[in-house]
Amino acid sequence: MKDSVISKFSARELDAELFTPFTISSGSHRSLENVLFTLGTAGGEKGCGEAAIATHITGETRARTVKSLLRAGELLTGRDAADYLGAMCLLEEELDGNRAALAAAQMALLDLAARLQGVSLWKLYGGVTARLKTDITVVIGGAAAAYDFTLKMRRRGFRIFKVKTGSDMDEDFRRLEAVGKAAPGCAVYLDANCAYGAREAERFIRELARRGIRPEVLEQPVPKDDIEGLAYLSRRLPMPVCADESAYSLDDVFNLIRKRTVTAVNIKLTKLGFLRAREVWALARASGIKLMMGEMLESELASAAAAGFAGGLGGMDFIDLDTPFFIKDSGMRGASFLSKNGVYFLDRVKAGIGVAPGARK
Ligand SMILES: [Mg+2]
């Protein structure tokens, strides 16, 4: 058997505690509850992928994702990892109904293929931008907690704060004022995770401007099917309006761009998988709309894979790959190329994603 033929696989739960619950307007993560997928070749090389489970956003469950990944493992066993593109296409057909599993299986294949070639995933994707600096998320909660968190992260070197809004408007104003006080002069992104009506979102942004707060991007202000609302806000507001929940497939993005509904799109591997994510990237670049690289709640493994993808292709306007900073110990090793102030030094990755699970605790 050739050394690069896939001969084994495993799917297991990946659990970790968080420093603070990751709360957004549509729900909350109290811990990391993802799935780790591993492929191994006859020659002893390994590739790993991570499925991010965000049931309150995607409806996908961990039990179903484990099942899908076991099926993916069976489909991939006996295939040559050198033909990773063919295998990724097969997975896209087979796992389309469970995108978290699709992303994890494709991630493991790419990690494996890059390691077999002795290059990083970042290089495999073009090696365009060597360094990416992420924002840091200020989750939904009280103003005092937001102030303390923002101050701590600004002192650590973060300069862009992505503030989650949309639970209670008065509380949102207080939280945003606290962020501005703790990090004067720093950039602010907003993400409402579908919470507003279009006119309500417009009022919210006007009131923020009155208070001297001018966000650089407004992400998913309205429910995912409110395409009219997105278009209305894109026409009326000065900052880019970015689709996230509304951009769950290539079709979604094609329609958003064709109808000039939004001026930015958030790419997440968990929504699209690697092949379609690349097509969304090309479509957005050709259409002149802005791009955010985002993620669900993901450990260093999936975050570094997203960074390798984004930096490899280049041309991303907003980087939102900060969830490793919310996780106490995911058990991942090798992520020293991600600095404490949120910079991914992608040219330091030697092979594959650059991150792999350490010895099991
Ligand atoms: Mg979002």
Side-chain angles (χ1 to χ4, degrees):
M1 198 193 284
K2 258 173 80 179
D3 275 2
S4 55
V5 168
I6 295 166
S7 61
K8 52 187 170 224
F9 63 90
S10 69
R12 70 160 169 96
E13 298 187 340
L14 176 65
D15 292 292
E17 285 178 42
L18 304 183
F19 288 109
T20 173
F22 199 88
T23 305
I24 65 173
S25 66
S26 57
S28 188
H29 281 282
R30 306 202 75 80
S31 60
L32 180 83
E33 296 175 7
N34 287 348
V35 182
L36 179 70
F37 182 61
T38 307
L39 293 171
T41 64
E45 192 58 90
K46 266 187 188 175
C48 294
E50 176 181 354
I53 310 299
T55 312
H56 60 288
I57 301 170
T58 62
E60 295 175 332
T61 62
R62 185 145 80 161
R64 181 164 165 238
T65 303
V66 168
K67 230 170 122 183
S68 298
L69 283 170
L70 293 174
R71 203 166 127 252
E74 275 159 26
L75 286 166
L76 294 172
T77 301
R79 290 185 75 102
D80 191 336
D83 175 29
Y84 63 97
L85 275 175
M88 284 168 77
C89 291
L90 171 75
L91 292 170
E92 190 155 296
E93 281 167 30
E94 297 292 330
L95 300 182
D96 196 33
N98 190 177
R99 304 279 175 86
L102 174 64
Q106 291 183 333
M107 195 182 297
L109 259 174
L110 281 165
D111 188 34
L112 182 58
R115 284 174 192 275
L116 286 166
Q117 291 180 36
V119 297
S120 63
L121 183 136
W122 170 70
K123 243 184 204 163
L124 197 67
Y125 268 94
V128 171
T129 308
R131 288 173 191 189
L132 295 179
K133 185 166 169 71
T134 180
D135 61 17
I136 186 83
T137 302
V138 180
V139 297
I140 283 184
Y147 180 85
D148 292 346
F149 178 82
T150 304
L151 190 64
K152 186 174 88 185
M153 290 307 188
R154 187 183 65 85
R155 284 182 176 155
R156 243 207 228 186
F158 286 94
R159 291 293 177 266
I160 303 169
F161 294 86
K162 175 166 164 175
V163 183
K164 294 285 189 178
T165 67
S167 62
D168 174 284
M169 215 178 263
D170 287 325
E171 193 189 80
D172 289 345
F173 288 134
R174 285 196 293 276
R175 184 171 341 98
L176 276 153
E177 284 179 332
V179 169
K181 221 178 274 173
C186 289
V188 169
Y189 301 168
L190 288 187
D191 188 0
N193 293 103
C194 309
Y196 304 124
R199 292 206 158 63
E200 192 185 10
E202 189 183 15
R203 273 204 311 281
F204 180 63
I205 295 297
R206 303 265 182 248
E207 177 57 28
L208 282 180
R210 212 181 57 75
R211 295 171 189 233
I213 300 165
R214 288 180 177 77
E216 295 195 357
V217 58
L218 171 63
E219 204 182 321
Q220 199 65 44
V222 297
K224 66 179 167 56
D225 297 326
D226 187 4
I227 305 306
E228 288 300 309
L230 284 174
Y232 172 84
L233 290 167
S234 295
R235 285 194 305 272
R236 307 266 300 188
L237 297 178
M239 75 282 292
V241 174
C242 180
D244 182 4
E245 284 85 341
S246 297
Y248 191 70
S249 69
L250 187 56
D251 265 6
D252 286 346
V253 176
F254 181 74
N255 285 320
L256 290 170
I257 289 175
R258 191 168 57 91
K259 295 177 189 158
R260 299 179 189 284
T261 308
V262 290
T263 37
V265 168
N266 182 332
I267 295 184
K268 286 176 182 160
L269 299 170
T270 297
K271 295 188 295 190
L272 299 158
F274 281 77
L275 294 177
R276 271 184 296 227
R278 188 184 178 131
E279 292 190 59
V280 166
W281 172 87
L283 198 56
R285 297 278 288 165
S287 316
I289 73 163
K290 293 195 181 296
L291 275 171
M292 180 183 288
M293 189 70 210
E295 63 182 345
M296 303 295 183
L297 185 67
E298 297 170 13
S299 81
E300 296 91 334
L301 176 65
S303 301
F309 171 88
L313 292 171
M316 297 284 176
D317 300 281
F318 313 104
I319 303 296
D320 181 29
L321 300 175
D322 63 327
T323 60
F325 297 99
F326 288 83
I327 301 166
K328 277 188 187 165
D329 181 9
S330 63
M332 293 296 163
R333 298 294 173 258
S336 58
F337 59 88
L338 171 57
S339 71
K340 270 183 68 184
N341 62 343
V343 181
Y344 290 83
F345 292 89
L346 295 162
D347 50 353
R348 293 183 191 167
V349 178
K350 291 198 178 67
I353 296 168
V355 177
R360 230 172 139 174
K361 283 174 285 183

